[in-house]
Amino acid sequence: MENENENLEKKEEYHVQAKGFLQSTKVFVNDLLDIRTDSDRESTLEAVRKDISFKGHNAWILIFSIFVASIGLNVSSTAVVIGAMLISPLMGPIVGVGMSVAINDVDTLRKSLKNLGIMVVLSVLTAFVYFKISPVTEITPELEARTYPTILDVLVAIFGGLALIVGKSKKGTIASVILGVAIATALMPPLCTVGFGLANSQWQNAGGAFYLFSINAVFIALSTFAVTKLLGFPLVRYANSKRRRRTAQVASAVAVIVMIPSIILFINLLNKTLFETKAKDFVSNDIRYLGAEVLKQEADFDDKTIDIYLIGKRVPEATVATWRARLTEIEALKESKLIVHQSAEEGGNLDELSTQVRSGILEDLYLKNQEVIEDKDSRIRLLEDRINSYRTSLFDFNSLSKEAQANYEEIENLGYSNQIITDFKNTDTIPTFSITWKNNVSSREKEENRQKFENWLNVRLALDTLTVKSVN
């Protein structure tokens, strides 16, 4: 009986301790993640409304920052593009749209949309003017990266927008957060790319870039809407209750209209990214055949096709059939079609592929080889620098020169340098000493002493290759 009572007491004690631990953990997590307590709603609303305004200084700042960003994109300079994004005022109206919808503020919503439209038109027009007069008309990697959206762009816009409004709502706005979001969400480069596409009649690139900007803008506004609702920002009150209800209905309708396409877009991009990733993994892991090699692969999400281009030994149809069967076992790829391109005969080569495909494959191979060569060149330069540094640090030149002066009174000046020598096949760095002899030393004595000095240096420095030259 006593044992049962003790066990019950222990169980109760453990229960109390566990309950206390859970309560402490709950309080800790709440204190760690709570943003309601330290939020300044009135100041946030005032700051957002102030940033919406677009005239005078803001207009000129936008124009100049667009020029800077366009130059950076035109010369493919990431640092210049980032600098332009830091001074761009594009973020204000977008945050204003999200917040005004959340608090049913029609006047602010109207003002935000108006200023956002003006900003977009002015940005594209400025970029159009720059790229129209720019002598560089080829699309650079920085420009090309802004011609289509990816799932990463959507995720950056979502979490960047959340960080932005949370940073703005804190008492004492965190400026570094706002600057970081301005860089991460990259609103300006896509608009510059739209201007580039229009200036050079590249309509597809212009459309893709505007699509990317729209995604970023919509998800920043949605993030603002969500956090504003979460923090319980007060709704705008109207004297006319009917107008208030109508305003709430309009705001809700706008939110739904914006949200539904955005969610569909997010899901489509997610499926596309998953399809391309799984296709790449499938080709890497399952497309294998001794004597054949995959030169190129293409995954088309819209057509649900995976094209692979093989070179070398011809793969039998039975093997291809097993690849296609394996494809149906992968959930993300089960509805896709595997298309294998290979030569009609054994030992096929690139000549039987289409010109477009062949040029694409050769370009890929060229780029890969260039990367390998550049990597090897950089390693060679690094090793040469280390060798030079090592050889220079082998001895103390001042100490060596004093020994040389004591052993060879005929030497007037002694010099040292590393000489780079090449036979156009190999390059080597050789320690080289130069001697200036006194005037009373004959030519025969100079040569004898030079040889003795060189032998002494070989022993003294323990070097297998060095050169000693007589200057006079």
Side-chain angles (χ1 to χ4, degrees), residues 402-421:
K402 290 179 182 178
E403 291 183 41
Q405 187 179 27
N407 294 327
Y408 299 90
E409 298 179 354
E410 300 86 355
I411 296 178
E412 183 173 352
N413 291 314
L414 178 64
Y416 169 77
S417 64
N418 282 320
Q419 185 176 14
I420 299 177
I421 297 176

Side-chain angles (χ1 to χ4, degrees), residues 25 90 128-129 161 193 214 217 270 281 330 388 400 412 452 464 469:
T25 303
L90 273 171
F128 174 84
V129 171
T193 307
S214 301
L270 182 62
D281 292 341
I330 303 173
N388 291 337
L400 183 73
E412 183 173 352
K452 290 179 181 179
D464 55 351
K469 296 180 179 179

Side-chain angles (χ1 to χ4, degrees), residues 213-255:
F213 169 80
S214 301
I215 288 174
N216 286 342
V218 165
F219 279 99
I220 290 172
L222 283 176
S223 300
T224 304
F225 173 86
V227 174
T228 303
K229 285 293 188 183
L230 177 66
L231 294 178
F233 276 58
L235 298 176
V236 174
R237 303 292 178 181
Y238 296 97
N240 189 330
S241 60
K242 289 184 178 180
R243 185 185 177 190
R244 182 187 179 281
R245 284 197 301 271
R246 187 168 59 253
T247 301
Q249 292 170 356
V250 171
S252 300
V254 170

Side-chain angles (χ1 to χ4, degrees), residues 105-370:
D105 189 347
V106 174
D107 293 334
T108 302
L109 176 60
R110 188 183 298 114
K111 185 178 180 182
S112 299
L113 292 173
K114 176 184 175 182
N115 283 285
L116 178 60
I118 295 172
M119 280 188 175
V120 170
V121 171
L122 186 59
S123 299
V124 172
L125 183 61
T126 303
F128 174 84
V129 171
Y130 169 79
F131 285 110
K132 202 66 177 176
I133 62 177
S134 172
V136 183
T137 58
E138 292 185 4
I139 188 168
T140 63
E142 285 288 334
L143 282 167
E144 189 173 10
R146 272 84 181 187
T147 56
Y148 53 88
T150 65
I151 188 64
L152 294 178
D153 296 310
V154 174
L155 294 175
V156 167
I158 292 173
F159 292 110
L162 292 172
L164 176 65
I165 188 59
V166 170
K168 273 183 170 289
S169 64
K170 186 181 183 299
K171 293 178 181 178
T173 302
I174 309 174
S176 60
V177 172
I178 298 173
L179 294 178
V181 172
I183 295 173
T185 52
L187 291 167
M188 182 178 293
L191 291 179
C192 295
T193 307
V194 173
F196 169 82
L198 296 177
N200 294 281
S201 300
Q202 297 182 12
W203 315 118
Q204 186 174 356
N205 288 337
F210 189 75
Y211 189 31
L212 174 57
F213 169 80
S214 301
I215 288 174
N216 286 342
V218 165
F219 279 99
I220 290 172
L222 283 176
S223 300
T224 304
F225 173 86
V227 174
T228 303
K229 285 293 188 183
L230 177 66
L231 294 178
F233 276 58
L235 298 176
V236 174
R237 303 292 178 181
Y238 296 97
N240 189 330
S241 60
K242 289 184 178 180
R243 185 185 177 190
R244 182 187 179 281
R245 284 197 301 271
R246 187 168 59 253
T247 301
Q249 292 170 356
V250 171
S252 300
V254 170
V256 171
I257 290 171
V258 171
M259 199 176 300
I260 292 176
S262 302
I263 293 173
I264 295 173
L265 170 65
F266 179 82
I267 294 173
N268 287 339
L269 284 175
L270 182 62
N271 290 334
K272 181 179 180 182
T273 303
L274 181 63
F275 175 84
E276 292 175 349
T277 302
K278 290 294 184 181
K280 185 176 180 181
D281 292 341
F282 168 73
V283 173
S284 300
N285 300 326
D286 294 275
I287 305 299
R288 293 180 180 178
Y289 188 79
L290 186 63
E293 184 179 353
V294 178
L295 283 180
K296 189 179 180 67
Q297 65 182 67
E298 295 175 346
D300 192 321
F301 175 72
D302 296 327
D303 294 336
K304 294 292 188 295
T305 58
I306 301 174
D307 291 77
I308 59 171
Y309 298 88
L310 302 176
I311 190 171
K313 191 175 181 180
R314 180 171 176 78
V315 180
E317 284 300 323
T319 303
V320 175
T322 60
W323 292 346
R324 290 178 174 140
R326 168 62 184 143
L327 193 65
T328 60
E329 298 174 2
I330 303 173
E331 183 65 28
L333 305 176
K334 63 181 182 180
E335 296 180 359
S336 59
K337 180 180 179 182
L338 177 65
I339 303 174
V340 179
H341 302 268
Q342 58 181 332
S343 60
E345 300 176 358
E346 292 287 343
N349 52 53
L350 287 174
D351 294 336
E352 297 189 22
L353 299 176
S354 68
T355 303
Q356 183 178 2
V357 172
R358 188 165 64 247
S359 62
I361 293 173
L362 292 175
E363 182 181 357
D364 290 344
L365 291 175
Y366 173 77
L367 292 175
K368 289 179 181 178
N369 289 334
Q370 282 293 106

Side-chain angles (χ1 to χ4, degrees), residues 2-112:
E2 291 181 0
N3 290 336
E4 291 181 0
N5 291 334
E6 288 179 1
N7 290 334
L8 287 173
E9 289 177 359
K10 287 182 179 179
K11 287 181 179 180
E12 290 180 0
E13 184 181 350
Y14 292 150
H15 180 71
V16 171
Q17 290 178 353
K19 187 175 181 181
F21 174 76
L22 291 174
Q23 187 67 27
S24 301
T25 303
K26 183 178 179 181
V27 172
F28 172 76
V29 172
N30 185 64
D31 291 341
L32 178 66
L33 301 178
D34 179 50
I35 60 175
R36 292 173 177 268
T37 306
D38 204 26
S39 296
D40 190 344
R41 293 166 179 78
E42 293 182 2
S43 298
T44 303
L45 288 171
E46 183 180 350
V48 170
R49 286 168 178 157
K50 184 178 179 181
D51 290 342
I52 292 171
S53 178
F54 180 71
K55 58 182 178 180
H57 291 80
N58 279 350
W60 284 108
I61 290 173
L62 178 64
I63 291 172
F64 295 146
S65 60
I66 286 290
F67 270 117
V68 173
S70 298
I71 293 170
L73 292 168
N74 206 197
V75 298
S76 203
S77 172
T78 304
V80 174
V81 176
I82 290 175
M85 287 188 284
L86 284 174
I87 58 177
S88 168
L90 273 171
M91 200 76 71
I94 298 174
V95 174
V97 170
M99 181 167 288
S100 60
V101 171
I103 63 175
N104 298 336
D105 189 347
V106 174
D107 293 334
T108 302
L109 176 60
R110 188 183 298 114
K111 185 178 180 182
S112 299

